[in-house]
Amino acid sequence: MLEVSQRGHAMPLSPYRRLTPFADAAKQRGVQVHHLNIGQPDIETPPVMLAAVQQANIRVLEYSPTAGYPSYRRALARYYQQVGISVTPDDILVTAGGSEAIFFALMSCLNPGDELIIPEPFYGAYTAFAVATDVRIVPVTSHLADGFAPPLIEEFERRITPRTKAVLLCTPNNPTGYVYSRAELEQLKDLCVRHSLYLLSDEAYREFCYDGDYVSAMHLSGADDHIVILDTISKRYSACGARIGAFVTKNKALQQTAFKFAQMRVSPPGLAQVLAEAASELPDTYFDHTKAEYQARRDLMVSRLRAMPGVECPVPGGAFYVMARLPVDDCDTFCQWLLEEFSYHGQTVMLSPASGFYATKGLGKQEVRMAYVLNCEALGLALTCLEQALLVYPGREVPVPEAAFDQDR
Amino acid sequence: MLEVSQRGHAMPLSPYRRLTPFADAAKQRGVQVHHLNIGQPDIETPPVMLAAVQQANIRVLEYSPTAGYPSYRRALARYYQQVGISVTPDDILVTAGGSEAIFFALMSCLNPGDELIIPEPFYGAYTAFAVATDVRIVPVTSHLADGFAPPLIEEFERRITPRTKAVLLCTPNNPTGYVYSRAELEQLKDLCVRHSLYLLSDEAYREFCYDGDYVSAMHLSGADDHIVILDTISKRYSACGARIGAFVTKNKALQQTAFKFAQMRVSPPGLAQVLAEAASELPDTYFDHTKAEYQARRDLMVSRLRAMPGVECPVPGGAFYVMARLPVDDCDTFCQWLLEEFSYHGQTVMLSPASGFYATKGLGKQEVRMAYVLNCEALGLALTCLEQALLVYPGREVPVPEAAFDQDR
């Protein structure tokens, strides 16, 4: 019998994908769908970067070197220096998006069956990468009530077994927006040094911290061999479609190992490296505008959400996501209902049910992730849809009148 | 102890990489190195394709859909129709180069420990993909003396075990240039149907057949569920750096499985899809010139090689490689010596030792692969270097005078 592989069967279908047909059907019916469900910003890709591709004088679009164009790796090293990350071009392997950096990290650091500790909720694709590389994710739960601060270091420590090889964190965090403090990172670094673990740090949202300074795992000292930064230009320059990322480590043996996996696919995308390199032409003030824009959206979203009865959300310090608790029975059902049955003035909203961000079954049932990737006007309309929907959704929590408590006493 | 993974240790370093430092050192000494070692054509990328990228009106470089832009998938389906391959856009998953198509195929068709039969010599990166996906390559040897025709079907059949899941072929072949006949493909197809195996067909060099018609695995009938085409625009349009390929199958379950692996990395490169889509603007005669150019180079290379004492090579029917037997002790040593110790009028030549193309240890020791990716003038100079080198290389085979045989009789 001709069958697909068991690992193919085991691969998850993204939760976003499950809702797509309902969104498409809503659009078919003429309903306008506001997309808060994916991290695809509406911010324009810097024209100077697009112009570099347009002006590139290419006769033959050749393979780039496996690790990326030397000129781009030098430009990237300069960028890292500017954000206080002291690396050389040799410490950088250019990848096809942050995705490939994650893949190379899991392949290079862990063997089949090894364990990877990740604070949950976490970026859903980590699960797919773990299945593809036969790595076991061991979640440590963070909670909405604590603003999704990382769990106590003891919680990490007690999950370490002889099969544990790495801790994977994401700061600023997708999906929670939490920004790790230096003290929290130091604790995790010490843990990794103590137990000979790699510390994999996904820093895709580095530029977007609103309430304080950003700390990178590579700002820490004394653990160079342990630390790998998984990076991407997707969010930084609103260039998700370029597929340019980076695997960054000062651990020579690990860098050489990742390089062997990179050789397999010959080279990262060529045109997109030209685009990425031109980021060095951006003025120092480039991120000021983008950050201010995202911060205004965050503030709008948080204040609107907090004004809705029964909705709870922490103020996320970074990235462009808000995780909120909604007063509904089940957010998977609710998000589908929003697309299938609800509309308000011909509009509705698409959200990400949080269940896809938790490894522990049953968690996140009342939570959603919302990406503030729309301008404030569109965001306002989207949030009005949510507000109205929560008033009429059949599975909404009915607030218990205070009198009910009195009778029980 | 902080260690890299065992699978990382097991990953091969490309044989090309081993020789690179010697080539770099030769260039440092002022020696001109003619590169016949890699399949990086000097043919220009069609200006109309590059112009499409320059003229693209992009405000936000967004993620493309996971399977590729619908417009590009439609254009690609039309291209396949033109070459007699009847597929719809739904049968096509756009990938980051042919490399990613190979990766998705191994992940979707085989489980860890499963066996993949491949005629050797074969493209070196297959070994890397097999290690990365924990698949066991079972080689079936083809021979220079037979022009690298595929082994008898019985040879394939007797290697089939309960763990065999697929046969991987490459036509026109890298590294041998052999073009499979319809009869040979039919035999392999029947074998795959009989034993419930996938037939993975790497057709990166489809356009470059010089002595007869090209037959694709998808030209065969009655085995749609078994056949997967692994494709790329790298060689077709001399656009290796674009990193655009395709995973093509009419097997719905398999396509959906590959799609799940594709979702993990969100989308294929965006700018390069714009480039690739513009191939539809090329005139029907586009390949005529390129083919004529490659054919002239092939003919030059084969005639020059055959004029060198002790050198043997078949006439490759396609792709842009020649595999030749050289009268030397060991081609790995010889290729290094060419870079380290030899020069002729300030020039030398870089070749690929064939050992990297065989899975069976010890095979290919006297063979090299040469890519005719230089224009005829440069190719002539490169072959003169080889000719001169074979006259003075210390490890050359000394022709046995005929008298020596007489004495033994």
Side-chain angles (χ1 to χ4, degrees), chain A residues 106 109-118 130 133-139 156-168 196-198 200, chain B residues 7:
Chain A
L106 299 198
C109 298
L110 296 96
N111 281 310
D114 280 350
E115 295 170 5
L116 173 66
I117 297 179
I118 316 182
T133 59
D134 198 7
V135 159
R136 207 179 137 239
I137 291 178
V138 176
F156 286 88
E157 191 136 26
R158 71 184 187 80
R159 282 168 179 81
I160 294 172
T161 77
R163 296 306 299 266
T164 310
K165 292 289 157 56
V167 173
L168 170 55
S196 287
L197 308 178
Y198 289 106
L200 311 177
Chain B
R7 52 188 170 189

Side-chain angles (χ1 to χ4, degrees), chain A residues 8-179:
Chain A
H9 273 297
M11 278 296 285
L13 196 66
S14 117
Y16 161 60
R17 184 82 191 170
R18 197 186 68 76
L19 291 175
T20 304
F22 302 109
D24 291 344
K27 289 171 194 169
Q28 284 281 326
R29 292 194 310 273
V31 175
Q32 185 187 351
V33 179
H34 297 290
H35 285 274
L36 302 185
N37 58 299
I38 48 164
Q40 171 57 64
D42 65 344
I43 304 287
E44 74 175 1
T45 310
V48 68
M49 293 173 67
L50 290 162
V53 179
Q54 287 171 340
Q55 288 152 20
N57 185 15
I58 299 170
R59 199 188 74 86
V60 184
L61 184 55
E62 299 190 357
Y63 290 119
S64 79
T66 291
Y69 287 120
S71 58
Y72 176 48
R73 291 165 75 204
R74 284 194 299 269
L76 205 47
R78 282 194 301 272
Y79 156 79
Y80 285 123
Q81 296 283 352
Q82 279 161 17
V83 295
I85 295 171
S86 173
V87 292
T88 70
D90 287 347
D91 302 327
I92 300 169
L93 175 66
V94 179
T95 57
S99 307
E100 196 175 64
I102 298 168
F103 177 66
F104 290 164
L106 299 198
M107 291 299 284
S108 303
C109 298
L110 296 96
N111 281 310
D114 280 350
E115 295 170 5
L116 173 66
I117 297 179
I118 316 182
E120 68 180 352
F122 55 75
Y123 175 44
Y126 294 160
T127 306
F129 281 107
V131 170
T133 59
D134 198 7
V135 159
R136 207 179 137 239
I137 291 178
V138 176
V140 194
T141 309
S142 65
H143 301 276
L144 187 135
D146 306 326
F148 293 108
L152 291 178
I153 200 71
E154 292 76 13
E155 290 296 308
F156 286 88
E157 191 136 26
R158 71 184 187 80
R159 282 168 179 81
I160 294 172
T161 77
R163 296 306 299 266
T164 310
K165 292 289 157 56
V167 173
L168 170 55
L169 61 89
C170 176
T171 179
N173 192 271
N174 173 9
T176 68
Y178 189 84
V179 181

Side-chain angles (χ1 to χ4, degrees), chain A residues 1-14 16-17 38-46 50 53-64 66 69 96 99-100 103 106-112 123 125 128-135 165 192 196-198 225-226 234-235 238-243 251 253-254 256-257 259-272 275, chain B residues 1-14 16-17 38-46 50 53-64 66 69 96 99-100 103 106-112 123 125 128-135 165 192 196-198 225-226 234-235 238-243 251 253-254 256-257 259-272 275:
Chain A
M1 248 296 283
L2 202 59
E3 284 179 341
V4 303
S5 65
Q6 287 146 21
R7 53 187 169 190
H9 273 297
M11 278 296 285
L13 196 66
S14 117
Y16 161 60
R17 184 82 191 170
I38 48 164
Q40 171 57 64
D42 65 344
I43 304 287
E44 74 175 1
T45 310
L50 290 162
V53 179
Q54 287 171 340
Q55 288 152 20
N57 185 15
I58 299 170
R59 199 188 74 86
V60 184
L61 184 55
E62 299 190 357
Y63 290 119
S64 79
T66 291
Y69 287 120
S99 307
E100 196 175 64
F103 177 66
L106 299 198
M107 291 299 284
S108 303
C109 298
L110 296 96
N111 281 310
Y123 175 44
F129 281 107
V131 170
T133 59
D134 198 7
V135 159
K165 292 289 157 56
C192 288
S196 287
L197 308 178
Y198 289 106
D225 278 352
H226 295 261
S234 291
K235 317 294 173 172
S238 198
C240 299
R243 311 316 296 134
N251 179 325
L254 192 62
Q256 281 160 23
T257 301
F259 181 83
K260 291 195 287 182
F261 288 103
Q263 248 187 345
M264 183 168 83
R265 53 63 165 152
V266 194
S267 71
L271 293 168
L275 178 104
Chain B
M1 249 297 284
L2 201 60
E3 283 179 343
V4 303
S5 66
Q6 287 146 22
R7 52 188 170 189
H9 273 296
M11 279 295 284
L13 196 66
S14 120
Y16 161 61
R17 185 80 190 171
I38 48 164
Q40 170 55 63
D42 65 344
I43 304 286
E44 73 176 2
T45 309
L50 289 162
V53 179
Q54 288 171 341
Q55 287 151 22
N57 186 14
I58 299 169
R59 199 187 74 86
V60 184
L61 183 56
E62 298 190 357
Y63 289 119
S64 81
T66 291
Y69 287 120
S99 307
E100 197 176 63
F103 177 66
L106 300 198
M107 290 300 284
S108 302
C109 298
L110 296 95
N111 281 310
Y123 175 44
F129 281 107
V131 170
T133 60
D134 198 7
V135 160
K165 292 289 157 56
C192 288
S196 288
L197 308 179
Y198 290 105
D225 278 352
H226 296 259
S234 292
K235 318 294 174 170
S238 200
C240 299
R243 313 316 296 135
N251 179 325
L254 192 62
Q256 281 160 22
T257 302
F259 180 83
K260 291 195 287 182
F261 287 104
Q263 247 185 348
M264 183 168 82
R265 52 65 165 153
V266 194
S267 71
L271 293 168
L275 177 103

Side-chain angles (χ1 to χ4, degrees), chain B residues 47-367:
Chain B
V48 68
M49 294 173 66
L50 289 162
V53 179
Q54 288 171 341
Q55 287 151 22
N57 186 14
I58 299 169
R59 199 187 74 86
V60 184
L61 183 56
E62 298 190 357
Y63 289 119
S64 81
T66 291
Y69 287 120
S71 59
Y72 177 47
R73 291 165 75 204
R74 285 195 298 271
L76 205 47
R78 283 194 301 272
Y79 156 79
Y80 285 123
Q81 297 283 353
Q82 280 162 14
V83 296
I85 295 171
S86 173
V87 292
T88 70
D90 287 346
D91 303 326
I92 299 170
L93 174 66
V94 178
T95 57
S99 307
E100 197 176 63
I102 298 169
F103 177 66
F104 290 163
L106 300 198
M107 290 300 284
S108 302
C109 298
L110 296 95
N111 281 310
D114 280 350
E115 295 170 7
L116 173 66
I117 298 179
I118 316 182
E120 68 179 351
F122 56 75
Y123 175 44
Y126 293 161
T127 307
F129 281 107
V131 170
T133 60
D134 198 7
V135 160
R136 207 180 135 239
I137 291 179
V138 176
V140 194
T141 309
S142 65
H143 300 276
L144 186 136
D146 305 327
F148 292 108
L152 291 178
I153 200 72
E154 292 78 10
E155 290 294 311
F156 286 87
E157 191 136 27
R158 72 184 188 79
R159 280 170 180 80
I160 294 173
T161 75
R163 296 306 300 266
T164 310
K165 292 289 157 56
V167 174
L168 170 56
L169 60 89
C170 176
T171 180
N173 192 270
N174 172 11
T176 69
Y178 188 84
V179 180
Y180 282 58
S181 71
R182 181 177 286 271
E184 287 159 350
L185 286 172
E186 290 281 2
Q187 278 196 315
L188 281 169
K189 180 201 77 173
D190 291 345
L191 179 86
C192 288
V193 171
R194 212 156 55 238
H195 293 277
S196 288
L197 308 179
Y198 290 105
L199 183 60
L200 312 177
S201 186
D202 181 340
E203 306 187 355
Y205 300 89
R206 180 181 301 116
E207 269 66 25
F208 307 121
C209 293
Y210 311 112
D211 305 320
D213 282 349
Y214 168 73
V215 186
S216 164
M218 279 214 178
H219 288 160
L220 312 181
S221 57
D224 281 355
D225 278 352
H226 296 259
I227 294 169
V228 183
I229 291 182
L230 312 172
D231 210 353
T232 171
I233 67 159
S234 292
K235 318 294 174 170
R236 189 148 78 229
Y237 306 117
S238 200
C240 299
R243 313 316 296 135
I244 292 293
F247 174 97
V248 187
T249 184
K250 298 172 91 70
N251 179 325
K252 295 289 173 210
L254 192 62
Q255 187 61 263
Q256 281 160 22
T257 302
F259 180 83
K260 291 195 287 182
F261 287 104
Q263 247 185 348
M264 183 168 82
R265 52 65 165 153
V266 194
S267 71
L271 293 168
Q273 288 183 72
V274 175
L275 177 103
E277 188 172 334
S280 59
E281 295 170 36
L282 291 168
D284 290 346
T285 55
Y286 167 70
F287 292 110
D288 297 348
H289 170 75
T290 315
K291 258 179 73 170
E293 172 65 25
Y294 279 133
Q295 186 164 347
R297 296 175 183 189
R298 177 197 68 165
D299 295 346
L300 171 69
M301 186 177 263
V302 168
S303 68
R304 287 287 307 270
L305 287 171
R306 288 184 167 185
M308 298 178 200
V311 174
E312 290 168 39
C313 72
V315 181
F320 40 66
Y321 304 104
V322 172
M323 279 276 279
R325 180 197 174 279
L326 303 184
V328 298
D329 53 353
D330 181 323
C331 283
D332 282 280
T333 315
F334 175 65
C335 291
Q336 183 173 332
W337 175 87
L338 279 172
L339 297 167
E340 249 192 325
E341 309 202 20
F342 175 80
S343 73
Y344 177 74
H345 291 308
Q347 298 171 36
T348 192
V349 60
M350 188 167 178
L351 312 172
S352 278
S355 54
F357 302 114
Y358 286 91
T360 305
K361 283 265 170 286
L363 290 186
K365 212 176 145 183
Q366 288 190 299
E367 296 169 11

Side-chain angles (χ1 to χ4, degrees), chain A residues 378-389:
Chain A
L379 208 56
L381 294 170
L383 289 164
T384 298
C385 287
L386 175 62
E387 190 167 41
Q388 294 297 321

